[in-house]
């Protein structure tokens, strides 16, 4: 168990550019989640996958955001035409199936849009 | 809708003091799950404990203890004999499985500073 891995750790981009983040979950976990955390706030749910199927998306996930999990392994989160309001820590988590299964989080990708 | 309230934004204690972090939740679901996570300065959220709505038994793990009371919709976390390494932001979270939704709703967190 090597934990949840996220890349890159930091990303600085100019407004209007596209960015993509990657998450590698714990290998035996079926579920993968993306959360966003801004300064002084708790993480907010964005979306989650069970295997390769994206089962739920938050209203926070605008049309500029897209997430994929091909083959039910790693996942990518892409933000198109970034805005300054997208600056945040993007957290990935994984868990086993089961409503009470704890989420195991990665270190996150900190995005700064200038 | 689910909601988690952590009324204490920041707490400072002197090392070896006991400290309790409050968490109040709201949900209409009858089956739900409560969690506490620790976020040290390094940023990674670390899972501490999980509680199911049908199990109100309190739990103790070393210096940590949790008091779950459905009557007051609270799930408080106590650290006994605090240490500097306990300094972090602590988040309470609520998970429900109604309609197949497995997202967690987090509180805003309580920043704990333990002063040597």
């Amino acid at each position: 168990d090597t934990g949840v891995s996220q890349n890159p750790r930091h990303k600085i981009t100019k407004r209007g550019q596209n960015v993509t983040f990657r998450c590698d979950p714990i290998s035996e976990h079926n579920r993968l989640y993306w959360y966003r955390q801004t300064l002084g706030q708790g993480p907010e749910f964005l979306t989650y996958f069970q295997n390769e199927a994206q089962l739920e998306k938050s209203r926070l996930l605008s049309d500029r955001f897209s997430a994929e999990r091909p083959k039910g392994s790693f996942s990518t989160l892409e933000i198109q035409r970034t805005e300054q309001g997208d600056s945040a820590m993007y957290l990935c988590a994984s868990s086993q199936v089961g409503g009470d299964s704890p989420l195991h989080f990665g270190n996150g990708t900190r995005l700064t849009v200038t | 809708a689910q909601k988690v309230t952590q009324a204490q934004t920041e707490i400072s204690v002197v090392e070896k003091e006991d400290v309790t972090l409050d968490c109040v939740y709201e949900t209409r679901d009858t089956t739900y799950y409560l969690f506490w996570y620790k976020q040290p300065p390094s940023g990674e959220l670390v899972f501490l404990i999980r509680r199911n709505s049908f199990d109100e038994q309190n739990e103790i793990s070393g210096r940590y203890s949790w008091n779950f009371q459905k009557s007051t919709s609270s799930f408080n976390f106590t650290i006994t004999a605090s240490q500097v390494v306990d300094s972090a932001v602590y988040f309470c979270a609520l998970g429900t499985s109604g309609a197949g939704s497995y997202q967690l709703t987090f509180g805003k967190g309580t920043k704990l500073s333990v002063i040597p």
Side-chain angles (χ1 to χ4, degrees):
Chain A
D1 180 358
T2 57
V4 178
S5 177
Q6 291 188 246
N7 288 289
R9 290 295 309 274
H10 303 275
K11 179 70 176 179
I12 300 174
T13 191
K14 292 184 177 180
R15 187 175 54 190
Q17 297 295 305
N18 298 344
V19 294
T20 299
F21 311 140
R22 176 180 170 124
C23 171
D24 288 274
I26 293 172
S27 57
E28 62 265 28
H29 286 178
N30 304 88
R31 290 194 179 142
L32 185 147
Y33 308 77
W34 285 99
Y35 281 76
R36 182 172 68 187
Q37 185 178 21
T38 53
L39 198 60
Q41 302 294 317
E44 296 175 296
F45 171 79
L46 293 179
T47 188
Y48 98 92
F49 294 82
Q50 182 156 315
N51 299 314
E52 67 275 8
Q54 188 174 19
L55 297 185
E56 191 167 351
K57 293 195 291 185
S58 162
R59 287 173 293 176
L60 293 174
L61 213 64
S62 76
D63 292 344
R64 297 184 298 104
F65 288 69
S66 63
E68 294 182 346
R69 192 184 182 196
K71 303 178 183 178
S73 55
F74 71 93
S75 175
T76 57
L77 177 67
E78 180 183 16
I79 309 175
Q80 296 181 325
R81 304 181 303 282
T82 52
E83 302 173 355
Q84 287 187 324
D86 297 331
S87 295
M89 176 76 85
Y90 289 85
L91 297 165
C92 178
S94 68
S95 76
Q96 295 178 329
V97 173
D100 63 341
S101 296
L103 274 60
H104 296 266
F105 285 85
N107 285 323
T109 294
R110 181 168 296 284
L111 173 66
T112 302
V113 182
T114 61
Chain B
Q2 280 62 243
K3 184 177 179 181
V4 175
T5 302
Q6 294 180 255
Q8 306 147 309
T9 305
E10 293 191 41
I11 300 176
S12 289
V13 298
V14 177
E15 198 171 21
K16 298 184 182 177
E17 287 184 347
D18 299 347
V19 58
T20 296
L21 309 181
D22 298 332
C23 172
V24 175
Y25 62 92
E26 296 176 30
T27 180
R28 292 182 179 179
D29 288 341
T30 54
T31 300
Y32 54 88
Y33 312 94
L34 295 163
F35 303 82
W36 275 95
Y37 282 85
K38 174 182 180 180
Q39 189 172 41
S42 60
E44 183 175 350
L45 280 156
V46 178
F47 165 71
L48 295 178
I49 191 172
R50 167 194 59 221
R51 237 8 186 184
N52 303 329
S53 56
F54 44 85
D55 181 4
E56 285 194 72
Q57 187 173 13
N58 292 325
E59 183 159 338
I60 298 175
S61 175
R63 296 185 297 106
Y64 295 170
S65 62
W66 291 269
N67 182 8
F68 176 30
Q69 292 194 342
K70 288 179 74 171
S71 60
T72 55
S73 297
S74 65
F75 185 44
N76 297 337
F77 172 30
T78 297
I79 301 174
T80 303
S82 59
Q83 300 176 0
V84 173
V85 293
D86 296 327
S87 297
V89 181
Y90 290 86
F91 291 97
C92 180
L94 169 68
T96 62
S97 56
S101 171
Y102 297 105
Q103 58 177 284
L104 290 186
T105 300
F106 284 81
K108 292 187 176 184
T110 297
K111 182 178 181 181
L112 174 65
S113 298
V114 181
I115 304 165

